[in-house]
Amino acid sequence: MASRLGDSGDLDREYFANSKRLRGEGSAVDRVNLILADAVHQNASDIHFEPYENEFRVRFRVDGYLRAGASLPIRMRDAIISRIKIMANLDIGERRLPQEGRIKLGFAEFEANGQIDLRVSTMPTLFGEKVTLRILDQRKLPPDLSALGLDQEGLERLQRAVTQTYGMVLVTGPTGSGKTSTLYTCLDGLNSDEVNIMTVEDPVEISFPGINQVQIDDQIGRTFARALRSFLRQDPNIIMVGEIRDLETAEIAVKAALTGHLVLSTLHTNDAPSTINRLLHMGVQPYLVANSVNLICAQRLVRRICRGCAQQATLSSEEIRSSGISLNDSGYVESLRGKGCDQCEGTGYKGRTGLFEVMEMSETLRRLVVNGADVARIREQAQKEGMFTLRESGLRKIRSGITTLDEVLRQTG
C-alpha cells in the first residue's frame, strides 16, 4: 500500500535538515516522517521502535550495527505506533498479536523513481508493541556482479555459473550476510524478454518488473515446496528459491536443476564445502548433489574503512599472529584505519563490502561427493583448484586498504 507522508507524500530536504526536531514538540505524523527521513539519510537497513517502562527508544541498524537514534516521549508511544500501523494498513486495534505489513514511500530527496519499500513487523512486549521496519531500497542493490566485492577469479566463476542454462547455484551464509542481495543482483542481470524468471520468497523483499515473484504463506499452504512444484508447470527458464529449508524443497530444486532449469537458492551454512554436507544430511542422494550443483558461494559482509578519515595503521606480522591468524607472508598489512569523523558518525567505517568463498564444481569435486568424501577433503581439493577461503578473501581486502583486521576476524572467527 502506498503511503502519503504529510501533504506532499514525500520526505524532502526540509526533513533531512531539521531532524533534531524529533526531540521537540510535534505530531506523531511529523515524528514518524522525521525518523524515516533520518534513517534513509544514514543508510540504515532497519529501524527499531522499542517501548520500555519510562522510555520509548528508536535505534537504527547501520552497516550491521545498531545505533541509538531519538528517545521519544513515552506519552507518544501509542500515537506513533498507530501512525505506523495506518501507513502499513495494519489493524490498529489489535495489540495482542504480531502483525506484518508493508509501506511504500516516495522521497522528493531523490530523482525520479525514488521509492522505498518498508517491511513492517509488530511484536507485543511487556511495555507495549515493538515495531521494526526493514528498509528495502532497490537503489542500494549493486548494479552488477562486479560491484559485489568479488575478486576477479570468483567473479568469473560466478558469472560462468549464472549464465548456464541448467544446474544449481547456491549462496550460503548466516542471516544478514547479503545472500538475497547477491541473488537479486544475479536475477537483475539475467532479466530479459527472452527468459521466464520465477521466484518463491519469504518474504518478497524487492519487486522487479519482468520477474514473476511469489510470496509463501504457510497459513494457506503456499510453501516453498508447493510453489516450486507448481513452477515446473509454468515453463520457467530460471527459478529462484528464497531458501532451501527441507528435503522436499531440496529434492524438487535438484530435479528442476537436472531437467533444464537454472536454479538459484540459499542455505544457512558456514562455508562453501560444508554446503555439500548440509544437502546430504537433508537426505538428498550424493549423485544428485554432484550432478545438480554448479557452484556454491559462501559470503559475509564487513564494514568498509571510511574514506573521509582513513589513515595509515600498518600491522606487523607479530600483531597479526597474536590476533589468531598465522601468516608466512609479512606483506599482509593493515594499510588503513578510520579514526572517526562526521561522515562515519565517529565509527571509522562507512558502507560494507563482501567476503566471498566461491567453489565451482569440477569433475574431481563431483567424484569426491559421489564417493562420500568428507568436508575437509572437499575443501582441500577446492583450494587446490583456486578457491579462496573467506579468511583469505578478507586478508586480501585488508591488504588493499578496504577493511580492517578486526572486521575480518569478527566475520570469519
Side-chain angles (χ1 to χ4, degrees):
M1 175 180 178
S3 294
R4 296 189 63 80
L5 300 186
D7 295 330
S8 66
D10 292 323
L11 295 178
D12 57 22
R13 296 178 190 275
E14 178 186 354
Y15 284 122
F16 287 106
N18 295 286
S19 60
K20 291 183 179 179
R21 287 164 44 197
L22 281 168
R23 294 178 176 83
E25 292 299 321
S27 68
V29 172
D30 285 339
R31 288 172 185 267
V32 171
N33 289 355
L34 292 168
I35 291 168
L36 296 179
D38 200 20
V40 173
H41 186 56
Q42 293 189 40
N43 290 315
S45 61
D46 301 86
I47 310 170
H48 294 257
F49 292 83
E50 301 171 320
Y52 298 98
E53 186 173 11
N54 299 309
E55 181 186 11
F56 187 32
R57 182 172 68 172
V58 178
R59 291 193 291 172
F60 301 148
R61 188 173 294 281
V62 180
D63 294 337
Y65 284 81
L66 281 171
R67 180 182 298 175
S71 183
L72 300 171
I74 192 68
R75 59 182 170 77
M76 296 200 69
R77 178 194 62 195
D78 292 344
I80 287 173
I81 291 174
S82 292
R83 169 59 180 166
I84 296 171
K85 284 184 168 183
I86 290 169
M87 295 169 70
N89 200 27
L90 300 178
D91 182 357
I92 63 172
E94 178 56 78
R95 299 181 180 180
R96 301 163 301 171
L97 298 173
Q99 297 187 69
E100 294 184 2
R102 294 179 82 98
I103 301 170
K104 181 168 288 188
L105 302 179
F107 283 75
E109 174 73 8
F110 309 119
E111 301 299 328
N113 300 319
Q115 287 193 332
I116 292 178
D117 285 342
L118 302 173
R119 195 172 76 220
V120 182
S121 172
T122 70
M123 176 64 64
T125 67
L126 186 60
F127 297 107
E129 290 177 284
K130 180 185 186 299
V131 180
T132 302
L133 281 67
R134 167 62 58 89
I135 300 174
L136 306 171
D137 186 355
Q138 189 165 355
R139 299 170 305 111
K140 291 182 181 178
L141 281 180
D144 52 49
L145 290 177
S146 63
L148 288 171
L150 288 150
D151 57 65
Q152 188 59 37
E153 299 94 326
L155 175 62
E156 290 174 359
R157 291 180 175 195
L158 183 56
Q159 288 175 326
R160 190 158 52 238
V162 298
T163 53
Q164 299 296 311
T165 56
Y166 65 93
M168 188 180 295
V169 174
L170 298 172
V171 181
T172 77
T175 300
S177 59
K179 301 186 297 296
T180 302
S181 292
T182 297
L183 289 184
Y184 277 166
T185 303
C186 291
L187 290 179
D188 197 31
L190 295 169
N191 191 11
S192 72
D193 292 338
E194 287 75 38
V195 294
N196 177 19
I197 302 177
M198 304 194 71
T199 78
V200 54
E201 307 171 58
D202 180 27
V204 173
E205 296 203 356
I206 296 176
S207 61
F208 291 87
I211 296 179
N212 305 285
Q213 295 171 274
V214 175
Q215 183 162 305
I216 72 165
D217 188 339
D218 289 327
Q219 291 185 345
I220 62 172
R222 192 195 301 146
T223 63
F224 278 116
R226 189 168 184 177
L228 188 52
R229 190 179 293 109
S230 297
F231 279 7
L232 298 179
R233 295 188 288 272
Q234 290 285 324
D235 187 32
N237 300 104
I238 300 168
I239 297 171
M240 194 268 269
V241 185
E243 183 184 346
I244 294 177
R245 297 176 177 174
D246 51 49
L247 175 59
E248 185 181 12
T249 305
E251 287 182 331
I252 301 170
V254 165
K255 176 183 176 182
L258 290 172
T259 55
H261 308 90
L262 177 65
V263 178
L264 285 69
S265 190
T266 72
L267 279 168
H268 288 280
T269 60
N270 290 328
D271 57 22
S274 63
T275 304
I276 298 293
N277 224 23
R278 174 78 174 119
L279 289 171
L280 296 177
H281 284 168
M282 279 185 178
V284 184
Q285 294 299 312
Y287 74 94
L288 292 176
V289 174
N291 288 302
S292 63
V293 176
N294 288 344
L295 179 138
I296 303 169
C297 175
Q299 67 178 75
R300 301 289 190 278
L301 290 177
V302 294
R303 292 181 293 175
R304 287 178 170 271
I305 297 167
C306 175
R307 294 296 128 184
C309 59
Q311 59 182 14
Q312 291 297 126
T314 302
L315 292 179
S316 68
S317 297
E318 181 58 37
E319 288 173 313
I320 295 175
R321 279 195 295 270
S322 68
S323 297
I325 301 176
S326 178
L327 294 173
N328 296 321
D329 183 2
S330 60
Y332 281 98
V333 294
E334 188 168 15
S335 56
L336 295 175
R337 180 181 291 274
K339 65 178 181 179
C341 65
D342 291 340
Q343 292 182 35
C344 61
E345 301 286 335
T347 64
Y349 298 97
K350 190 171 179 63
R352 289 192 288 179
T353 189
L355 307 182
F356 294 91
E357 181 176 287
V358 183
M359 186 176 82
E360 190 174 30
M361 293 295 288
S362 65
E363 289 306 313
T364 302
L365 287 172
R366 295 185 198 278
R367 284 196 297 272
L368 288 175
V369 174
V370 171
N371 293 331
D374 61 19
V375 173
R377 179 70 185 91
I378 292 172
R379 181 182 295 108
E380 178 186 7
Q381 180 60 35
Q383 289 182 269
K384 285 181 180 179
E385 296 177 6
M387 181 190 80
F388 291 105
T389 65
L390 288 166
R391 176 65 58 83
E392 290 167 340
S393 175
L395 294 176
R396 286 182 157 205
K397 285 183 166 59
I398 292 171
R399 188 161 56 178
S400 299
I402 295 171
T403 191
T404 64
L405 178 63
D406 290 340
E407 281 294 290
V408 172
L409 290 176
R410 183 174 65 87
Q411 290 296 344
T412 63

